[in-house]
Amino acid sequence: MTPRPTEDRWRAIAPGRVNLIGEHTDYNGLPVLPIAIDRDVRIEFTVVDDGAVRLDSPVPRFAPLEFQLKRPIEAADQGDWSNYVRAAARGLSEHGVELRRGIEGTVTGDVPIASGLSSSSALVVASALALLKANGVAVAGVSELEGHPAAPAGPGLSRLELAAVMARAERFVGLQGGGMDQAACLHGVAGHALRIDFDPLGVTPVAVPEGWRWVVASSLVRAEKAAGARDAYNVRARQCREALALGAGGAPTYRDLIAANDDLDGLLQHARRALTPVLFRRFRHVVTEGHRVALAEDAIRDGDMERFGDLMVGSHSSLRDDYEVSTAELDEIVAIALEAGAAGARLTGAGFGGCAVALCGRSTVAPVMEALAARFYAPRLGGPPTRDMMFAAQPSGGARVEGG
Ligand code: NG1
């Protein structure tokens, strides 16, 4: 491959995502149903031959970062944004991609940060795409809808492979996360939700019916995964593993457990006897949420908004009562949206703050947004929310590199 002239400018673009249903199921090996959204993280870069990564940002709290690809990549202090870029580089190196050339550029974007919309994974994926581009490694799509071949010609990675590598890589930042965010970011398809399966990773686009709208509303409480919410998240991941080991009667995974038990009630009765109350509540969330995702996929395929909405409401109650990751603000947003006519609403992402998502029809988007503005935001802000706090998200295309 001929080295690229270093003055070429490229743009790596990676979208955030909104998870429609299937929360805290990915790291338990059960499917999720997110959309990639029309908000993204962008790295505008040139290729440099000295093996350095140098990035800055117009946001003052993100100080310019620099590290060297030719030396072992160590983590910076906890909470330092460079860790997401380091994670991408380290993940690629550990996967055997030789990174000799570096990048220099600027990171911008409009995915609200620490809001459960995966700005972190978007940064990780954008960094990976930029580094792969700089080093002449192709990334091919796998979705027929995108019209890409399943595997790249020549040296390269498939999108699925990259999503799996980046899911592992992001754990470098300390969250024992599943693979939803990186897969959604890399596989977004305009107008489609994505059913993502795990072990092995697979993505199936599912068309969102005409007229369905997704209103995203921030609780104004940051869900800072690099900090406090991280421990609460990791504790739950551990509790789910413990609950499976003690309550599943020998099934090695939640998927095996569900496949072997048609009778959900019987399974839960057995688990209630075998588990402590806390572990039982975690277990019940995972198992019932897995079931709701399957029903929600049927509902979206059938164009049945009411059924999908009811499943979202069930998901939120389970996250609030059994998984204990909701907050008073998220509960209030859900209640206001439902009262104003949303078909369904729930917290989206990990919880502990962040955003809620409401499913609306064409004619209910405006009343739902007005009700949230008047009853949730006005008392807190003394005025209307910004377009980062409340917006209608469009199911959008996946991460890519442009320019040159
Ligand atoms: P958020 O915090 O919403 O970006 C996290 C995990 C997901 C998934 C959700 C909960 C990462 C990068 N993200 O997402 O994998 O487990 O929580 O459903 O680990």
Side-chain angles (χ1 to χ4, degrees):
M1 171 115 204
T2 356
R4 284 181 199 294
T6 50
E7 64 273 17
D8 277 1
R9 288 199 78 79
W10 302 91
R11 223 169 16 256
I13 302 173
R17 63 100 185 97
V18 171
N19 191 17
L20 306 181
I21 195 158
E23 218 63 82
H24 293 278
T25 49
D26 61 350
Y27 53 83
N28 290 306
L30 295 177
V32 293
L33 194 71
I35 54 174
I37 60 174
D38 50 330
R39 285 176 168 245
D40 41 53
V41 168
R42 293 169 177 239
I43 306 180
E44 180 103 33
F45 67 98
T46 52
V47 178
V48 292
D49 283 330
D50 63 356
V53 173
R54 291 185 204 92
L55 294 172
D56 58 22
S57 153
V59 180
R61 77 182 174 102
F62 299 135
L65 69 85
E66 175 165 358
F67 64 93
Q68 182 45 253
L69 294 167
K70 292 176 188 159
R71 285 195 287 277
I73 298 163
E74 304 296 341
D77 293 347
Q78 193 177 312
D80 187 319
W81 73 298
S82 78
N83 281 332
Y84 295 103
V85 186
R86 290 167 191 263
R90 192 158 131 162
L92 291 173
S93 303
E94 282 173 3
H95 190 64
V97 179
E98 203 190 333
L99 298 175
R100 278 178 298 112
R101 274 178 283 169
I103 54 172
E104 198 168 272
T106 298
V107 181
T108 58
D110 59 359
V111 187
I113 294 166
S115 296
L117 303 178
S118 274
S119 57
S120 62
S121 299
L123 177 56
V124 170
V125 168
S127 304
L129 289 181
L131 290 168
L132 289 170
K133 177 54 111 185
N135 288 279
V137 182
V139 180
V142 287
S143 163
E144 284 170 23
L145 285 151
E146 289 179 298
H148 291 299
L157 291 167
S158 76
R159 281 180 182 249
L160 271 183
E161 221 176 333
L162 183 58
V165 170
M166 287 304 110
R168 272 198 303 280
E170 201 170 329
R171 294 192 193 121
F172 175 62
V173 190
L175 199 75
Q176 296 303 306
M180 161 167 62
D181 302 348
Q182 303 79 6
C185 178
L186 278 154
H187 290 87
V189 179
H192 288 70
L194 309 161
R195 192 197 75 223
I196 303 176
D197 296 287
F198 302 95
D199 312 318
L201 190 62
V203 181
T204 310
V206 182
V208 173
E210 266 295 302
W212 289 30
R213 300 284 182 272
W214 309 102
V215 171
V216 176
S218 165
S219 66
L220 306 178
V221 178
R222 295 167 69 82
E224 201 78 71
K225 269 187 306 174
R230 183 177 77 156
D231 296 341
Y233 182 102
N234 289 342
V235 164
R236 280 163 182 71
R238 199 190 61 227
Q239 288 169 332
C240 290
R241 289 194 297 274
E242 273 173 39
L244 180 70
L246 296 169
T253 65
Y254 279 97
R255 199 169 54 189
D256 293 324
L257 177 68
I258 288 169
N261 287 276
D262 294 342
D263 172 18
L264 201 60
D265 290 338
L267 174 64
L268 291 174
Q269 269 169 32
H270 168 81
R272 191 191 283 276
R273 288 192 295 273
L275 298 174
T276 62
V278 173
L279 288 187
F280 173 65
R281 290 200 300 276
R282 305 297 187 252
F283 181 89
R284 182 165 58 185
H285 169 72
V286 174
V287 170
T288 59
E289 186 76 351
H291 189 56
R292 280 186 289 272
V293 172
L295 296 176
E297 187 185 343
D298 292 342
I300 198 170
R301 287 185 189 281
D302 294 346
D304 190 334
M305 186 187 281
E306 201 178 319
R307 194 148 42 99
F308 196 100
D310 289 346
L311 291 161
M312 291 174 79
V313 173
S315 169
H316 185 77
S317 307
S318 178
L319 289 160
R320 181 192 60 211
D321 302 335
D322 279 353
Y323 221 63
E324 298 173 280
V325 293
S326 190
T327 61
E329 292 82 2
L330 288 165
D331 295 345
E332 195 179 331
I333 290 175
V334 167
I336 293 170
L338 293 174
E339 278 168 35
R346 55 184 288 281
L347 72 84
T348 184
F352 316 107
C355 289
V357 58
L359 169 57
C360 299
R362 273 195 205 93
S363 60
T364 45
V365 174
V368 166
M369 284 186 156
E370 280 158 22
L372 287 169
R375 292 172 53 194
F376 186 81
Y377 294 107
R380 289 170 172 81
L381 303 171
T386 65
R387 62 177 291 279
D388 274 356
M389 295 173 187
M390 183 172 69
F391 58 94
Q394 302 273 0
S396 299
R400 62 206 177 274
V401 177
E402 291 175 354

